[in-house]
Amino acid sequence: MCKRWHDWAGRTLTLEGPPMTDLTVLSADSRTDATWWRQAVVYQVYPRSFADSDGDGLGDIPGLTSRIPYLAGLGVDAIWLSPFYPSALADGGYDVADYRDVHPQLGDLDDFDELMAVAHGAGIKVIVDIVPNHTSDLHQWFVEALASPPGSPARQRYIFRDGKGPDGSRPPSDWISHFGGSAWTRVPDGQWYCHLFAPEQPDLNWDNREVRDDFLVTLRFWADRGVDGFRVDVAHALAKDLSEPLRSKPTLEDHPSMPTDGTDPLYDRDEVHEIYREWREVFDSYDPPRTAVAEACAPSSRRALYARPTELGQAFNFDLLAADYDATAFRDAIAFCLSQAAASGSSSTWVLSNHDVVRHATRYALPPGTDLDEWLISDGSLPRADEETGLRRARAATALMLALPGSSYFYQGEELGLHEVADLPSGALQDPIWLRTQNVKKGRDGCRVPLPWHHEGNAFGFSTGHAWLPQPAGFSRTAVAAQEGRTGTTLEFYREALRVRRQLQTTEELTWVESTDPDVLHFTRPGGWHCLSNFGSTAVPLPDGVVRLTSGQHVAGVLPPETTVWLTEWAPID
Ligand code: NOJ
């Protein structure tokens, strides 16, 4: 029973029973709850780097299945699997050769079904990555397209065009690839095909009904196997203006000049939403409806369109991830994302790290404004990362994120406080960005280094063979086994945060409490929950209440620098 409750005027109130918040623990394993995703904690698994069961150095599905108890112990509601499909790995699996199978080195469909059964048995939902903008060049459609003449139906599934100039030797347009260079590659018969990413990732033609229908089959294929949701890769790029002459677009989608009215030739066009309305019909034909989250790098004012309940239902917000470790930047990002969620009727998503960015513990260890590409190319030596500060701030930011209404996305290894591995030798790098930029940018391998499970032994317990990317010696200190059960470690902090968060999850309201200190963010959630985050370098007094979580040192009555604390106005039930 809850016996006491101090309100913020310091009055002691007597309660008949515990406040509702202590009872309203959301069940992670309720298979029929159609709204589970609204406040879920989703753990991103990069399968090739998570756990290897067969010693080939590449993480796989059985390896992941064997670690489901670890994820259940961490307390996550769902896992999102980055692509595990057959692929030549030209872009870490985001070059899919077959959308309805498992890469042979990662297992097979029986292994996937086993994963589903074990995850669901542990109350963990499963989200899979769908990559609809492009296939692999090894996909049977593209192989067929190359073997077919210009103008053939096989070519019309992709974006083939004749080149410019008298001999067609210049690309059909000035479109550029995200990984550097032109977005067009020429094939032996002289035509060119479009790829907004690597040449091994030809873009599909979403004006083609056959392409649309085939993806509906793929969505059903995985939904029938029980997957609970889909993460939609590059969701804003499917619809393109392919009318002749092709329009000029010499910039990427995040360029400031990008129009905000849905008329860009390549990104965030209004027609893309027709596609997701069709997908929604598929999602809603299941019970509970399948969920989806858009990776949509659209102008921020238009992101909510993807999250409409008639479309994908949720969209990633990268605003927190992009913010410096700064109270004003965080508050602005939070306020904006909540307003967008309200506009779409969705809940917000929050994310600080993923497989495409320098880990947040490392970003916060560097001076604000550091050019991360330049820093990586210096092998992480210039400027020097203050790893202790970075981790302290990362934990504070994570605790703040987890107190927000909406769903939080973790990236594997952040619960261990892993830093970016910035000094991978150039011979080990596999990200296409490294090659496509002529070794100017190292790319994203530094956050994809296989996880350390044991503090010693081969590949730190990731594999009995050679890990596909080299792991640093420091992994012996950050391995799961080195942190498990030890008070104060980052792993135990994450576990505690998720345990306490289950009691915090109530309705989705958040109320700001204005602080006199510009470095302190303070908000409340229903039921007498308070989150205070001190971004500054001096301690401030903590209001009266029961401390339920701290991201750092616990000092009675004090909110230390770069620390987040959760307080309740009532004591928890023993
Ligand atoms: C976004 C994914 O997160 C990234 O890893 C990938 O390279 C591109 N989309 C292309 O699929």
Side-chain angles (χ1 to χ4, degrees):
M1 286 287 287
C2 176
K3 299 181 194 71
R4 61 198 175 83
W5 172 23
H6 298 291
D7 75 2
W8 290 94
R11 293 169 299 210
T12 303
L13 307 179
T14 310
L15 294 175
E16 296 291 314
M20 280 307 289
T21 41
D22 232 19
L23 295 177
T24 348
V25 175
L26 295 190
S27 162
D29 56 8
S30 160
R31 309 288 318 143
T32 51
D33 177 6
T35 59
W36 66 268
W37 51 273
R38 291 191 73 94
Q39 302 218 63
V41 173
V42 184
Y43 182 100
Q44 182 189 356
V45 173
Y46 196 71
R48 288 173 180 79
S49 300
F50 191 71
D52 173 25
S53 70
D54 60 6
D56 66 357
L58 213 55
D60 50 36
I61 300 286
L64 167 56
T65 306
S66 73
R67 298 292 182 182
I68 290 293
Y70 166 78
L71 296 169
L74 185 58
V76 303
D77 299 303
I79 50 176
W80 148 34
L81 308 188
S82 280
F84 51 84
Y85 314 110
S87 166
L89 302 187
D91 180 20
Y94 283 89
D95 46 321
V96 179
D98 182 349
Y99 290 89
R100 304 199 274 267
D101 206 348
V102 174
H103 190 293
Q105 275 184 288
L106 272 64
D108 57 23
L109 285 170
D110 287 342
D111 294 325
F112 184 84
D113 292 341
E114 172 74 6
L115 167 67
M116 292 297 304
V118 174
H120 281 169
I124 294 177
K125 295 189 168 59
V126 179
I127 295 173
V128 298
D129 218 311
I130 287 291
V131 188
N133 180 64
H134 43 264
T135 69
S136 157
D137 60 345
L138 298 184
H139 190 286
Q140 66 172 36
W141 275 0
F142 196 70
V143 173
E144 208 184 308
L146 289 187
S148 305
S152 59
R155 289 223 170 164
Q156 283 161 15
R157 295 181 186 127
Y158 292 91
I159 304 170
F160 277 87
R161 290 289 183 279
D162 292 332
K164 281 189 174 164
D167 56 357
S169 64
R170 286 192 289 117
S173 75
D174 57 1
W175 300 349
I176 54 170
S177 149
H178 283 257
F179 295 153
S182 169
W184 295 95
T185 288
R186 201 170 194 193
V187 299
D189 63 27
Q191 276 211 309
W192 298 73
Y193 68 89
C194 170
H195 51 85
L196 292 181
F197 293 87
E200 296 86 352
Q201 294 168 293
D203 278 36
L204 284 164
N205 170 15
W206 275 86
D207 288 345
N208 185 327
R209 188 66 240 179
E210 192 187 356
V211 169
R212 294 187 181 213
D213 287 342
D214 195 68
F215 269 87
L216 299 180
V217 175
T218 295
L219 295 176
R220 286 196 177 282
F221 179 87
W222 294 108
D224 288 345
R225 296 195 108 83
V227 310
D228 302 280
F230 300 90
R231 177 263 188 191
V232 183
D233 189 64
V234 208
H236 57 300
L238 277 48
K240 300 178 178 74
D241 180 0
L242 299 176
S243 55
E244 296 292 343
L246 295 176
R247 287 163 55 197
S248 168
K249 168 80 182 172
T251 57
L252 293 175
E253 78 267 65
D254 52 0
H255 194 271
S257 70
M258 182 166 166
T260 53
D261 59 357
T263 59
D264 187 84
L266 294 180
Y267 301 109
D268 185 44
R269 293 184 61 73
D270 283 340
E271 306 89 86
V272 80
H273 298 287
E274 290 161 20
I275 297 169
Y276 300 130
R277 283 194 281 273
E278 279 195 345
W279 287 26
R280 174 50 58 186
E281 285 175 25
V282 173
F283 302 150
D284 284 353
S285 69
Y286 289 86
D287 182 20
R290 297 327 190 217
T291 68
V293 55
E295 186 214 28
C297 302
S300 44
S301 58
R302 290 177 54 90
R303 215 186 294 145
L305 301 177
Y306 297 78
R308 288 180 286 200
T310 47
E311 299 194 18
L312 295 175
Q314 248 192 340
F316 274 120
N317 293 320
F318 296 118
D319 308 61
L320 270 194
L321 184 154
D324 285 337
Y325 183 75
D326 171 82
T328 306
F330 266 60
R331 175 155 178 173
D332 289 351
I334 293 166
F336 178 73
C337 293
L338 290 178
S339 71
Q340 291 297 293
S344 66
S346 183
S347 64
S348 188
T349 58
W350 311 104
V351 57
L352 294 167
S353 281
N354 65 28
H355 66 296
D356 286 333
V357 297
V358 169
R359 286 182 177 278
H360 67 286
T362 303
R363 295 199 310 271
Y364 301 153
L366 294 165
T370 301
D371 181 322
L372 296 169
D373 290 323
E374 272 179 24
W375 178 75
L376 283 172
I377 206 76
S378 76
D379 278 352
S381 55
L382 289 174
R384 195 185 73 80
D386 178 348
E387 294 197 344
E388 202 181 311
T389 298
L391 183 55
R392 182 172 59 249
R393 293 174 177 175
R395 287 170 54 145
T398 297
L400 174 55
M401 169 174 88
L402 287 172
L404 296 169
S407 26
S408 286
Y409 279 75
F410 290 170
Y411 176 54
Q412 65 179 40
E414 69 172 77
E415 78 280 15
L416 304 176
L418 292 191
H419 279 278
E420 187 80 1
V421 182
D423 57 354
L424 287 171
S426 55
L429 297 177
Q430 312 231 359
D431 189 335
I433 290 177
W434 174 241
L435 279 185
R436 297 276 301 168
T437 62
Q438 279 89 39
N439 308 352
V440 169
K441 292 186 185 177
K442 266 186 153 178
R444 304 158 292 179
D445 290 319
C447 66
R448 299 175 178 180
V449 173
L451 286 194
W453 293 94
H454 303 156
H455 40 65
E456 54 191 10
N458 199 72
F460 299 103
F462 163 73
S463 170
T464 54
H466 266 313
W468 69 279
L469 283 172
Q471 300 157 297
F475 268 15
S476 65
R477 289 192 307 279
T478 44
V480 173
Q483 300 196 38
E484 213 151 34
R486 288 182 50 209
T487 313
T489 60
T490 301
L491 177 57
E492 292 303 334
F493 156 68
Y494 267 71
R495 283 182 174 161
E496 180 64 1
L498 294 196
R499 190 186 70 74
V500 178
R501 179 188 150 98
R502 285 185 179 278
Q503 300 165 3
L504 165 64
Q505 284 174 309
T506 55
T507 56
E508 295 175 22
E509 288 97 51
L510 173 153
T511 307
W512 292 105
V513 179
E514 294 310 327
S515 164
T516 48
D517 187 328
D519 285 331
V520 174
L521 294 189
H522 181 181
F523 57 81
T524 60
R525 297 287 307 278
W529 284 87
H530 291 246
C531 174
L532 293 105
S533 196
N534 180 5
F535 287 74
S537 53
T538 49
V540 296
L542 201 54
D544 192 16
V546 181
V547 172
R548 304 296 299 276
L549 182 82
T550 172
S551 66
Q553 294 285 323
H554 178 58
V555 188
V558 169
L559 178 59
E562 300 181 336
T563 301
T564 297
V565 163
W566 297 353
L567 290 178
T568 50
E569 297 168 8
W570 40 274
I573 307 167
D574 292 327

